[in-house]
Amino acid sequence: MKMRFIRKGLAALAVLMVGSVTAQDINYSQYYTVMPAINPASTGAFGGDYRFIMDYRQSQYSAADPFTTIFASWDMGIAKYKKSDGSERKSFFGAGLNFLNDKAGEGDLGLQEINLMLSYNLRIGELHHLTLGTKVGQATRSVNYSNFRWESQFDEGSASYDPNAFSDPLANNEKANYTPISVGLLWNYAKEDHLKLNAGFALNQVNEPESNFDNRLVENVPMQMVFHTAAEWFIPNTTMSLMPHVMYRSRSYVSETTVGVISKFYLSFDSRMTHIKKSSAFYAGIFYRTTKDLVLLMKVDLRQNIDLGISYDMDISGEAGTSFVKKRGALEFVLTYSSFWKERTLLPRKGNTEFF
């Protein structure tokens, strides 16, 4: 019986360590849709005046409660389209807010963030846009030690376990607050109905803020470097396009690469003259992550306003039974809505730098 509780205690400790990494580097399988969480330069860089994103992700592990992530973002382009005299704008600002709540394992190891995003978008050619963005906010890491098993709860004399005999050896050290700052750069090229490209670079937690559960120890959140690129190639004489994606992330001594391709099937097309009718499309894709995960995904785009996406991660490491905490998979849902403050039925979505 004693061994049983010792094993549970070790499981909780392992989950705590795994959760710590997860809380800092959350894997969004549909990262191309939740770009404000990856690169602040994506703020306002989409076809419309405002955009709302909601992501829900649940990851399963063998020795833990599910890891749950909720991300919400709202952003907008400021004075994005034509000037009052009718001439086209060559630059505009973007602004937005995002919120993150991540809970991991039995100890409820959590990360809560709220961030303000700002960007500046400049058209540097007929087909090119360059965006510089930043993000600053307030973050809180937390843990609930009462969910773990402690030595004080086990009576060796009677070989019994008393969950009410809780003694918190780390009392008053359950939260750590810090201020993360991120910066990013994004380049977009778009030749309508032919080829679209983008590439971005971001430094998250660039200030490496202190995040200490115990004031006697100094712990900094390491800076994360992200590089991502994608393309959309329209296959001639078909209603289909292909979108390859690559993302590389690195923090301290840990790095990860994600590669994949998405097929886009057009269900309807924009009306060329009035632009009243908007296109709809269906997406299906497959990604590989160097953490030995395979991701299957689908998405539906309705009239360029509403996107509904779903994905599932599968662990393909083939190492069953060799690790104490084993990945089982992750399910993720994403909802995106974008539109105009005032519907412009005669105005195409110029400056649309989002093509994922």
Side-chain angles (χ1 to χ4, degrees):
M1 186 174 182
K2 181 178 180 180
M3 287 301 299
R4 173 187 172 189
F5 290 113
I6 291 176
R7 290 171 64 183
K8 285 189 176 182
L10 290 174
L13 180 60
V15 168
L16 179 63
M17 291 186 293
V18 172
S20 178
V21 175
T22 303
Q24 292 185 12
D25 289 317
I26 299 168
N27 272 321
Y28 296 100
S29 294
Q30 300 177 63
Y31 71 88
Y32 49 87
T33 302
V34 293
M35 267 295 160
I38 306 297
N39 188 343
S42 64
T43 305
F46 60 94
D49 288 332
Y50 63 91
R51 171 176 62 176
F52 172 77
I53 302 170
M54 173 68 77
D55 182 289
Y56 175 85
R57 177 180 174 86
Q58 189 175 88
S59 305
Q60 296 284 346
Y61 288 81
S62 60
D65 293 339
F67 291 18
T68 302
T69 303
I70 298 174
F71 174 81
S73 175
W74 182 85
D75 63 322
M76 60 180 286
I78 301 174
K80 185 173 180 179
Y81 288 89
K82 290 186 176 181
K83 300 179 182 178
S84 57
D85 60 4
S87 60
E88 292 286 344
R89 293 185 181 275
K90 293 186 177 181
S91 65
F92 63 88
F93 289 94
L97 290 169
N98 66 36
F99 169 79
L100 169 68
N101 183 46
D102 182 60
K103 289 288 185 180
E106 288 185 48
D108 288 336
L109 187 72
L111 175 64
Q112 296 79 40
E113 279 190 24
I114 183 167
N115 296 287
L116 171 67
M117 304 178 294
L118 298 171
S119 70
Y120 177 71
N121 186 301
L122 175 66
R123 190 174 70 183
I124 55 177
E126 186 63 28
L127 304 176
H128 300 265
H129 286 79
L130 191 65
T131 310
L132 178 66
T134 187
K135 178 173 67 175
V136 61
Q138 179 65 36
T140 300
R141 293 174 62 199
S142 60
V143 63
N144 186 355
Y145 294 117
S146 64
N147 285 354
F148 297 130
R149 279 71 167 173
W150 303 99
E151 184 180 1
S152 60
Q153 296 172 304
F154 182 77
D155 186 348
E156 290 191 23
S158 61
S160 63
Y161 172 75
D162 182 6
N164 296 318
F166 169 64
S167 177
D168 188 350
L170 299 171
N172 303 318
N173 292 313
E174 294 191 343
K175 288 188 177 181
N177 299 314
Y178 60 95
T179 301
I181 300 174
S182 303
V183 295
L185 186 67
L186 181 65
W187 165 76
N188 281 276
Y189 167 88
K191 187 174 184 181
E192 294 297 327
D193 300 330
H194 289 83
L195 178 66
K196 298 179 181 181
L197 300 169
N198 82 355
F201 178 77
L203 296 175
N204 296 315
Q205 294 87 39
V206 67
N207 58 325
E208 297 193 335
E210 289 188 9
S211 173
N212 306 322
F213 282 116
D214 189 336
N215 293 330
R216 295 169 298 179
L217 301 174
V218 177
E219 180 183 1
N220 294 83
V221 179
M223 181 179 65
Q224 182 197 62
M225 182 184 69
V226 181
F227 171 78
H228 58 90
T229 184
E232 180 175 5
W233 174 59
F234 295 80
I235 302 176
N237 304 316
T238 70
T239 58
M240 177 181 173
S241 64
L242 293 177
M243 293 180 287
H245 289 260
V246 177
M247 181 176 70
Y248 172 81
R249 301 192 306 169
S250 175
R251 187 193 297 273
S252 188
Y253 298 103
V254 179
S255 63
E256 173 188 284
T257 302
T258 302
V259 296
V261 63
I262 299 175
S263 299
K264 180 178 180 180
F265 305 90
Y266 287 89
L267 305 177
S268 63
F269 294 89
D270 294 353
S271 51
R272 296 292 182 179
M273 300 301 294
T274 64
H275 301 286
I276 295 176
K277 182 182 177 181
K278 301 298 181 183
S279 64
S280 296
F282 172 78
Y283 303 72
I286 185 170
F287 279 54
Y288 173 75
R289 194 181 297 127
T290 52
T291 50
K292 298 183 180 179
D293 294 315
L294 193 67
V295 181
L296 304 178
L297 58 94
M298 294 188 300
K299 188 177 81 164
V300 177
D301 176 9
L302 303 175
R303 292 176 53 81
Q304 298 183 19
N305 289 111
I306 300 176
D307 285 358
L308 298 170
I310 182 173
S311 62
Y312 184 74
D313 296 21
M314 296 183 296
D315 177 20
I316 58 172
S317 63
E319 298 175 355
T322 62
S323 60
F324 195 77
V325 179
K326 179 68 176 175
K327 292 182 293 184
R328 292 188 182 274
L331 187 63
E332 185 174 329
F333 299 92
V334 180
L335 168 66
T336 303
Y337 178 80
S338 61
S339 189
F340 296 98
W341 295 117
K342 182 178 181 181
E343 188 63 30
R344 295 168 168 83
T345 56
L346 298 180
L347 179 67
R349 294 187 167 213
K350 292 182 178 179
N352 185 353
T353 57
E354 181 191 42
F355 55 86
F356 303 100

